[in-house]
Amino acid sequence: MRFFPKSLTYRMTWFYGISTVILLITISGLLYQVLVDGLAKEDQVQIEQKINVIKGLLNSQPHNINGLEQEVIHEGTDNLKSRIIDNAGKVILASPGFDKLALDHFFPEPQINHTRIIEVKASDKTYLLASKKVLNFDYSFWTIQVAVDIDDDVIFNHNFLRHLIIAVVFGSVLAMLLGYIVTRKGLNPVKEITKAAERITVSQMHEKLDTHQWPDELKALAFSFDAMLNRLDESIQRLSQFSANLAHELRTPLHNLIGQTDVTLAYSRTPEEYQQVLTSNLEEYERLASILESLLFLARADNEQMALNKEVFDGREVLDALCHYQSVLAEEQQIVLYCQGTGRVCADIELFRRAVNNLISNALRHSSACGKIKLLIEEFSQEIVITIQDSGQGISPEHIEFLGQRFYRAGAKDNIAGHGLGLAIVKSIMNLHEGKIEIESTLNVGTTVRLIFPR
């Protein structure tokens, strides 16, 4: 069983209530202590003043009995009473009714230089009792005793404490209620986000939240929510375009296969004719297999399911091998393919070969006869740069930003096959290596592609 409720509203109300209760108890305790200390200090000051006045009269006017009587007898009150006792224990002067208090055995032992004050409870009342020894004119010691009835103060303190407790309880309940109301009010934007999420469909990804009057903390959440919707909208758009392109790419070879097979089966053929049809179908099968293999590679790369076997190798050696592999096709198109530079690369060598080979194939596909394709490897302090530069037909500027999207093709020759996944694979390989790809192109001049690998 969890101590706190799952509801954020109730949880915040609970925390707010606990904080308020602690604050109220702390403040109330301080106020009560200040009141109690203040009243006690006031009573102690009153006692000290009474003893000091009597002591002063005894020291300065020892024969002024009238003055002592005025101070002890006539100025005594119902709450404060005093008396003077000589060395023999005889009461010299006492306030009226002092003996009725029956406090003789409660008074503290008197001292010469210090007034001793204690609190006692007798006859259902609370008293402060004080004793002090003073030197008389005949060098004998007399004792001054003072009794103060503080029962009213005690009752006042008790009443004040009771009212404080009631105030704390009432304030805590009120704080809980106000905290609940304020929390519900403050979490209204979260409810709006929830309602907006419930309204979201594929056709309503563009809907934005109105955050004009929202607090800054929730504005950040709303902005993140809107940004997520934008990313989802872009992903859905790309997925929709990808699905349409995939259907188009698969439909063409499938229609070719179906159409050619229907025509072949329409009437009997010679073995040579069947062999020609199967050879043509095989080319379409290979095209379909290439598309599916490329899509599976991209899916694994996008989901980070592909493990990289990184190693350090001689990049120039790999580029030379790729140039040799593509040299036959280059000679057929009368294209000069060559490599320059040196450098060691840290990467998955198979993926490195695939990325560079895709770029060489694209360069051959888009280059004119008697052109040149240059491969250059350069090693810098923080990166290794592989450059593939051709002298082909180039790419229009409006196409550059879309290169690397799946099934997107720009400027391909009509007589050369291609399904628009080569650059997408290269881009995924570079992302796996935390590198990047840069493309520059000028119409009728050529295209330059740079693969930048971190060292």
Side-chain angles (χ1 to χ4, degrees), residues 17-28 172:
I18 291 177
S19 302
T20 305
V21 169
I22 294 174
L23 182 62
L24 288 175
I25 291 176
T26 302
I27 294 176
S28 299
S172 301

Side-chain angles (χ1 to χ4, degrees), residues 124-159:
D124 296 330
K125 285 192 175 185
T126 305
Y127 296 92
L128 281 182
L129 304 181
S131 297
K132 187 173 184 179
K133 265 186 182 180
V134 296
L135 186 62
N136 197 11
F137 67 95
D138 57 359
Y139 299 103
S140 61
F141 288 98
W142 287 6
T143 301
I144 303 174
Q145 294 180 338
V146 178
V148 178
D149 183 356
I150 60 170
D151 207 50
D152 290 342
D153 292 347
V154 173
I155 295 174
F156 179 81
N157 290 339
H158 289 169
N159 291 336

Side-chain angles (χ1 to χ4, degrees), residues 43-62:
D43 292 333
Q44 291 175 7
V45 169
Q46 188 179 12
I47 291 174
E48 291 283 359
Q49 288 178 347
K50 174 61 76 172
I51 291 177
N52 288 335
V53 170
I54 296 175
K55 177 183 176 182
L57 290 174
L58 288 174
N59 291 335
S60 61
Q61 303 175 24

Side-chain angles (χ1 to χ4, degrees), residues 47-114:
I47 291 174
E48 291 283 359
Q49 288 178 347
K50 174 61 76 172
I51 291 177
N52 288 335
V53 170
I54 296 175
K55 177 183 176 182
L57 290 174
L58 288 174
N59 291 335
S60 61
Q61 303 175 24
H63 301 291
N64 186 2
I65 301 300
N66 292 332
L68 288 174
E69 289 180 351
Q70 178 67 27
E71 185 65 32
V72 174
I73 299 175
H74 300 295
E75 292 190 6
T77 64
D78 293 338
N79 293 332
L80 187 147
K81 299 182 183 299
S82 59
R83 70 181 177 182
I84 303 174
I85 303 175
D86 62 11
N87 272 344
K90 178 182 178 183
V91 177
I92 306 300
L93 289 173
S95 298
F98 195 102
D99 55 339
K100 294 181 180 179
L101 299 179
L103 298 173
D104 292 350
H105 61 283
F106 290 112
F107 278 96
E109 189 67 25
Q111 296 180 358
I112 297 175
N113 298 321
H114 177 67

Side-chain angles (χ1 to χ4, degrees), residues 83-328:
R83 70 181 177 182
I84 303 174
I85 303 175
D86 62 11
N87 272 344
K90 178 182 178 183
V91 177
I92 306 300
L93 289 173
S95 298
F98 195 102
D99 55 339
K100 294 181 180 179
L101 299 179
L103 298 173
D104 292 350
H105 61 283
F106 290 112
F107 278 96
E109 189 67 25
Q111 296 180 358
I112 297 175
N113 298 321
H114 177 67
T115 302
R116 293 192 61 191
I117 302 175
I118 62 172
E119 180 179 323
V120 298
K121 189 171 183 63
S123 303
D124 296 330
K125 285 192 175 185
T126 305
Y127 296 92
L128 281 182
L129 304 181
S131 297
K132 187 173 184 179
K133 265 186 182 180
V134 296
L135 186 62
N136 197 11
F137 67 95
D138 57 359
Y139 299 103
S140 61
F141 288 98
W142 287 6
T143 301
I144 303 174
Q145 294 180 338
V146 178
V148 178
D149 183 356
I150 60 170
D151 207 50
D152 290 342
D153 292 347
V154 173
I155 295 174
F156 179 81
N157 290 339
H158 289 169
N159 291 336
F160 184 76
L161 179 60
R162 184 170 63 253
H163 290 129
L164 276 181
I165 294 174
I166 294 174
V168 168
V169 173
F170 178 77
S172 301
V173 174
L174 183 61
M176 288 282 191
L177 180 60
L178 292 177
Y180 176 77
I181 296 173
V182 171
T183 302
R184 283 184 60 88
K185 181 78 173 173
L187 291 178
N188 280 339
V190 179
K191 294 181 180 179
E192 292 183 24
I193 294 179
T194 304
K195 292 178 181 179
E198 293 173 350
R199 293 195 301 267
I200 294 301
T201 61
V202 175
S203 60
Q204 291 179 323
M205 287 291 182
H206 60 278
E207 182 175 341
K208 296 293 184 290
L209 296 171
D210 183 12
T211 61
H212 180 67
Q213 296 182 346
W214 285 22
D216 293 339
E217 293 81 4
L218 292 180
K219 281 184 179 179
L221 175 62
F223 292 152
S224 299
F225 183 80
D226 288 341
M228 179 193 68
L229 290 183
N230 290 334
R231 292 193 298 270
L232 289 175
D233 189 28
E234 293 174 1
S235 299
I236 290 174
Q237 295 297 330
R238 288 198 301 269
L239 181 61
S240 178
Q241 184 65 34
F242 170 76
S243 301
N245 293 335
L246 178 61
H248 174 74
E249 292 294 331
L250 295 179
R251 183 176 58 213
T252 300
L254 286 175
H255 283 179
N256 292 339
L257 289 169
I258 294 172
Q260 194 165 350
T261 303
D262 283 342
V263 172
T264 302
L265 295 176
Y267 53 90
S268 298
R269 304 279 182 173
T270 64
E272 291 78 9
E273 290 175 328
Y274 283 122
Q275 185 176 6
Q276 290 178 356
V277 172
L278 290 175
T279 301
S280 176
N281 286 351
L282 180 61
E283 293 179 358
E284 298 297 336
Y285 292 141
E286 290 175 347
R287 177 178 172 82
L288 287 173
S290 175
I291 292 174
L292 293 177
E293 193 274 335
S294 297
L295 290 175
L296 288 174
F297 175 88
L298 291 171
R300 291 195 299 270
D302 287 347
N303 294 325
E304 299 181 354
Q305 297 176 353
M306 186 175 298
L308 294 181
N309 298 316
K310 284 189 176 183
E311 57 181 295
V312 179
F313 55 88
D314 188 340
R316 174 61 184 272
E317 183 179 339
V318 176
L319 294 183
D320 286 336
L322 292 174
C323 286
H324 179 73
Y325 175 77
Q326 295 281 7
S327 60
V328 175

